[in-house]
Amino acid sequence: EIASCLVGSEMCIRDRIKRSFFYMVLDIKVRKEVKADFFQREMILDDCFGKDRNNRTVYIYRKISPIKELSLISYLKQEPKVVIGTIRFYRVLIEQFHCLLLGPLAVDKHYQGKGFGKKLIQQGLNLAKENGEKICFVSGEYDYYCHYGFKKLSSIKLNIIVPGPISFNDLLIYEFNNDAKNYLKNNSQLSPLN
């Protein structure tokens, strides 16, 4: 009951923001995810990817907890408790080399195309670089992620094997220092961290 009251109260705030959306200047902020964000985050993910999203191949990599300092929420400065967007990063392995897997990234459908996802990706990648990460993968649309520096594996002549089909039939790579080939062998398998 408490959870549904919280969600209901946040939904009222969300509706108020939607109604006044066109009259305000968007002041998009990003913060670390907290436990109180759980229900709003899950609703956004279900709305964007469907309630069966956990059946996708990419979710075998998400059985462990996400990296806490790279689990972020975007929101409007005026309403910091209302989740508009969410991003997480998970640790994965290629051979014995630790890499990141970005995702899921989702933005409330009423705010898509307004910069909430962009802020999350930029801040997430910046924090990852500060943490000394070398490589990040994403299973996503190339036309969207190329704007942030993600490349098709084929463009750097690298083939990575994943167990099962992945979304959009391509795994994309982000090299923090343009040196992935120094760390990854061709035809290596992307494995979940157990």
Side-chain angles (χ1 to χ4, degrees), residues 160-188:
I160 301 296
I161 300 164
V162 293
I166 58 172
S167 300
F168 311 106
N169 298 316
D170 208 356
L171 189 64
L172 307 176
I173 187 169
Y174 182 89
E175 302 172 89
F176 290 94
N177 298 310
N178 293 319
D179 57 355
K181 287 198 166 193
N182 293 340
Y183 304 103
L184 306 178
K185 295 179 189 170
N186 208 23
N187 295 318
S188 296

Side-chain angles (χ1 to χ4, degrees), residues 8-155:
S9 120
E10 298 300 338
M11 292 313 297
C12 291
I13 294 169
R14 186 180 303 280
D15 290 339
R16 191 175 78 229
I17 291 172
K18 287 175 192 172
R19 285 193 302 272
S20 63
F21 180 70
F22 293 105
Y23 302 107
M24 70 169 112
V25 175
L26 293 180
D27 193 357
I28 303 169
K29 299 293 182 188
V30 173
R31 62 172 168 79
K32 289 184 181 173
E33 180 183 303
V34 296
K35 284 184 183 181
D37 298 325
F38 176 80
F39 293 106
Q40 292 181 78
R41 186 193 73 232
E42 290 299 303
M43 286 179 7
I44 291 169
L45 290 170
D46 286 348
D47 193 37
C48 289
F49 300 113
K51 292 188 183 218
D52 65 341
R53 62 188 157 85
N54 294 329
N55 296 331
R56 294 179 180 192
T57 301
V58 75
Y59 273 84
I60 66 171
Y61 302 103
R62 297 177 184 156
K63 290 182 180 179
I64 60 168
S65 295
I67 300 169
K68 192 171 185 169
E69 61 270 11
L70 297 177
S71 297
L72 306 172
I73 296 296
S74 58
Y75 62 95
L76 287 170
K77 181 181 177 184
Q78 300 88 328
E79 299 289 350
K81 292 183 180 180
V82 178
V83 176
I84 304 292
T86 175
I87 192 171
R88 288 178 153 189
F89 291 80
Y90 290 81
R91 181 78 51 209
V92 293
L93 290 172
I94 293 192
E95 303 299 323
Q96 294 301 313
F97 187 75
H98 286 249
C99 303
L100 295 178
L101 178 66
L102 182 159
L105 166 70
V107 174
D108 181 305
K109 287 185 176 181
H110 295 93
Y111 299 96
Q112 290 180 358
K114 309 294 184 209
F116 289 91
K118 178 180 183 176
K119 283 256 193 179
L120 287 168
I121 294 170
Q122 290 171 335
Q123 189 156 337
L125 291 174
N126 287 339
L127 288 170
K129 185 172 185 169
E130 288 173 14
N131 289 347
E133 300 295 342
K134 305 286 186 213
I135 296 168
C136 180
F137 293 98
V138 68
S139 172
E141 295 180 45
Y142 175 73
D143 290 342
Y144 179 77
Y145 285 99
C146 69
H147 299 288
Y148 306 100
F150 282 88
K151 303 173 192 170
K152 292 184 177 184
L153 290 169
S154 59
S155 74

